[in-house]
Amino acid sequence: MNPVLRRILTRWAPLWSALGLFAAWELACRAFGIPEYVLPTPSASFAAAWTFREAIWMHAAQTLATTLAGFALAVVFGVVLGVLVGSSRAAYTALNPLLIGFNSVPKVAVVPVLVMWFGIGTVPAVITAFLISFFPIVVNVATGLATLEPELRDVLRSLGATRADILLKVGFPRALPFFFASLKVAVTLAFVGSVMSETVASNLGVGYLMMSASSRFNMALVFAGLLVIAAMGIAMYELFSVVERRSTRWAHRGTEGG
Amino acid sequence: MSAAFVELDRVTLRYGQGDTLALSETTLKIGRGEFIAVVGPSGCGKSSLLKLVSGLMPPSSGGVAVAGSEVRGPLKIVGMAFQNPTLLPWRTTLANVMLPLEIVQPHRGRLRANRREYEDQARRILAGVGLAGFEDKFPWQLSGGMQQRASLCRALIHEPQLLMLDEPFGALDAFTREELWAILQSLWMERPFTVVLVTHDLREAAFLADTIYVMSKRPGRIVHLRRNPLARPRTLETTFTPEFTELVHELRNHISAVRAAEEEAP
């Protein structure tokens, strides 16, 4: 293949695959005559997004704000708990079953409880985003700290290093790539949490917008909402990928040639 | 021998619930500035010996004393290097070598104010092992032999009185290994510190050590002590002399005897 063409193809590969998906979707809808109230075409969805752009803008801003607020809580809480679990054998043994049990509870079942406590709206959405996204951060930070080479620990201890020294000089820098890798996953999960809560109990946010649109059989607007959430998720994921690559270059040397 | 610098008095070490005996009734004395090697089949508790002496592990019974006082916790006068160089990948070679200075007193308190001076010291020691010009490279940009040299520098930068080496050259090719023997010997001859080298390479022990201890397998026990008669500095040529070959041969026979005894009584 022509090298220039190949470079264009690989460089914009995500764009081609997205366009391919939309084209297949559009063609399938038209070829099989699928009615719009079952599955709208992507063109109809984009058209609806444009028509309702002001409403979507407002609801998307709300969803982004609740997601990021929940995510920020998750980062703080996740790091603190991850450091605790990762640097202390006793804390690990004590907390691990609890954490796993907690993570296994479907968060959608927690939303009604949150509504009882805090009413509907922003607060339960923030808390749901937080609850669903802190777990991967805890696990990754703890793993990064706990997998410290025993020889390295011996080297440092034989120099008279305290636990805090070991954590500061080796533990944290070593756990950093694990931490950033977890942020990418956590931020997409945070969207799941906030939208879920908005769907169940809110009158703001993309989740609410989709609920009310589907009750009016405006499926094109429902799908427009889905596309907006997906786009925000991708944007946040990419943002944290860039942060990850910038801040822990040493851990990604294999993929960057250098 | 002058008054012992490191002294193990009938030391026994058990692992876990006391079923596995790693070391049994081990007694040995190391003089100040002496270079000793401990050889033996793998799994004979050689590494446990290092951990005992450096205070990373307490003995189950018996006493360990260093510089005249009982070892009760991790010592602060120790440098360590292992088969795995364990350099930190996010630090340059220079910053890796300077790590102990950020931890050990009095350097720790003086580092900020005297950074230049300490950096020069680190550059000097790196140059001494042939790593001049690699100070700003990251560990993963160095070969295995270079990483191991940097690891040695890190073990020595704070001028420890006691150097613990756990098969430090085990993962290197034969030529690099011999090169590093000579480097280690010259570092030690410049400013003698006490060295405990654990290895299963008998030629390495014969090249480097003043005294060689042969250990038996499970439970680890010292079965033979051999003073090394070879003059210093030893060179690559030394390794081809009949005396050297004879010494290695003798050590090899002891190891064979240990292994045979092991097979008779599993």
Side-chain angles (χ1 to χ4, degrees):
Chain A
M1 200 194 294
N2 181 333
V4 178
L5 186 65
R6 181 196 293 261
R7 201 161 57 233
I8 292 172
L9 274 178
T10 40
R11 188 178 166 98
W12 298 100
L15 184 66
W16 306 137
S17 60
L19 286 177
L21 174 68
F22 288 137
W25 175 4
E26 183 86 35
L27 281 176
C29 284
R30 288 172 190 265
F32 299 111
I34 299 173
E36 187 170 312
Y37 59 84
V38 175
L39 178 64
T41 60
S43 56
S45 306
F46 282 115
W50 181 250
T51 315
F52 297 97
R53 59 188 178 277
E54 274 166 27
I56 287 178
W57 185 253
M58 189 212 22
H59 289 295
Q62 163 76 12
T63 298
L64 188 63
T66 54
T67 301
L68 291 182
F71 174 69
L73 284 176
V75 171
V76 175
F77 185 74
V79 167
V80 171
L81 205 58
V83 169
L84 195 67
V85 170
S87 53
S88 150
R89 189 85 221 153
Y92 175 86
T93 319
L95 294 178
N96 207 36
L98 277 182
L99 278 171
I100 292 169
F102 188 82
N103 192 49
S104 308
V105 172
K107 298 303 171 290
V108 71
V110 180
V111 177
V113 179
L114 295 175
V115 172
M116 291 295 286
W117 291 346
F118 303 105
I120 65 161
T122 307
V123 180
V126 170
I127 295 177
T128 314
F130 157 69
L131 289 178
I132 208 167
S133 64
F134 82 86
F135 190 72
I137 302 177
V138 174
V139 171
N140 271 34
V141 170
T143 306
L145 290 175
T147 51
L148 179 64
E149 295 92 330
E151 290 94 353
L152 196 52
R153 192 187 301 272
D154 285 349
V155 166
L156 291 163
R157 285 182 58 207
S158 66
L159 295 170
T162 60
R163 273 174 92 103
D165 284 335
I166 296 177
L167 210 57
L168 213 64
K169 299 283 178 202
V170 186
F172 284 149
R174 233 189 78 84
L176 217 55
F178 291 84
F179 170 66
F180 282 117
S182 75
L183 290 190
K184 295 188 297 190
V185 181
V187 78
T188 51
L189 283 176
F191 274 108
V192 174
S194 59
V195 172
M196 192 167 68
S197 174
E198 286 164 0
T199 314
V200 179
S202 181
N203 39 34
L204 259 181
V206 179
Y208 164 75
L209 177 74
M210 285 161 56
M211 260 330 256
S212 71
S214 74
S215 67
R216 285 179 279 113
F217 293 99
N218 188 350
M219 285 302 269
L221 184 53
V222 173
F223 273 78
L226 286 177
L227 290 173
V228 167
I229 295 165
M232 289 196 293
I234 292 170
M236 286 295 137
Y237 184 96
E238 279 304 316
L239 177 69
F240 285 107
S241 300
V242 171
V243 174
E244 179 189 13
R245 281 202 299 274
R246 293 252 163 127
S247 51
T248 54
R249 206 164 283 238
W250 57 269
H252 302 274
R253 56 195 182 265
T255 54
E256 284 185 25
Chain B
M1 197 196 302
S2 58
F5 181 60
V6 176
E7 202 169 351
L8 266 66
D9 183 24
R10 281 167 294 136
V11 167
T12 297
L13 180 70
R14 287 171 204 281
Y15 269 125
Q17 306 303 318
D19 317 331
T20 327
L21 206 54
L23 272 182
S24 154
E25 296 279 314
T26 300
T27 298
L28 65 87
K29 284 183 176 155
I30 309 170
R32 188 178 283 273
E34 191 181 357
F35 197 135
I36 74 144
V38 180
V39 298
S42 47
C44 70
K46 291 175 302 204
S47 302
S48 310
L49 194 71
L50 288 191
K51 293 196 173 188
L52 280 171
V53 173
S54 51
L56 293 171
M57 239 189 230
S60 307
S61 69
V64 181
V66 173
S69 53
E70 185 83 16
V71 175
R72 293 187 193 283
L75 294 178
K76 298 180 182 181
I77 52 161
V78 180
M80 281 190 147
F82 299 87
Q83 176 169 346
N84 176 357
T86 62
L87 298 173
L88 307 177
W90 56 88
R91 283 174 173 239
T92 61
T93 306
L94 187 69
N96 262 296
V97 170
M98 290 177 70
L99 177 69
L101 302 177
E102 297 169 23
I103 293 168
V104 180
Q105 292 293 7
H107 309 297
R108 181 180 195 149
R110 301 186 58 228
L111 184 62
R112 197 182 287 269
N114 305 285
R115 182 160 273 280
R116 265 245 92 77
E117 182 189 318
Y118 278 118
E119 267 187 29
D120 289 343
Q121 184 188 341
R123 283 177 201 280
R124 263 200 308 283
I125 189 167
L126 278 167
V129 300
L131 282 180
F134 291 93
E135 293 90 346
D136 299 324
K137 292 264 186 278
F138 287 93
W140 34 275
Q141 295 169 315
L142 305 181
S143 68
M146 289 170 148
Q147 289 185 29
Q148 201 51 262
R149 285 180 222 195
S151 172
L152 265 183
C153 291
R154 182 181 66 187
L156 292 171
I157 184 78
H158 56 296
E159 308 197 332
Q161 299 175 50
L162 191 54
L163 180 63
M164 300 283 178
L165 301 172
D166 192 350
E167 298 185 12
F169 312 127
L172 304 177
D173 66 88
F175 305 115
T176 311
R177 198 180 307 161
E178 285 166 355
E179 203 178 306
L180 285 181
W181 293 349
I183 286 174
L184 178 59
Q185 178 182 242
S186 63
L187 286 171
W188 176 78
M189 287 180 75
E190 264 171 41
R191 190 183 59 78
F193 36 85
T194 310
V195 187
V196 181
L197 167 72
V198 158
T199 181
H200 50 228
D201 183 345
L202 303 177
R203 292 178 66 241
E204 185 168 296
F207 188 98
L208 284 167
D210 297 324
T211 314
I212 301 159
Y213 294 86
V214 180
M215 278 183 84
S216 70
K217 200 173 174 181
R218 216 167 288 139
R221 221 164 347 93
I222 288 169
V223 293
H224 186 69
L225 181 159
R226 180 71 161 91
R227 303 254 174 242
N228 190 335
L230 299 167
R232 296 205 192 255
R234 297 165 194 157
T235 63
L236 196 53
E237 283 309 311
T238 315
T239 65
F240 299 109
T241 60
E243 291 84 356
F244 188 89
T245 315
E246 201 181 308
L247 178 60
V248 173
H249 194 176
E250 185 196 320
L251 293 171
R252 186 68 188 83
N253 286 339
H254 282 290
I255 299 281
S256 297
V258 167
R259 283 168 57 92
E262 171 81 12
E263 264 153 43
E264 272 167 32

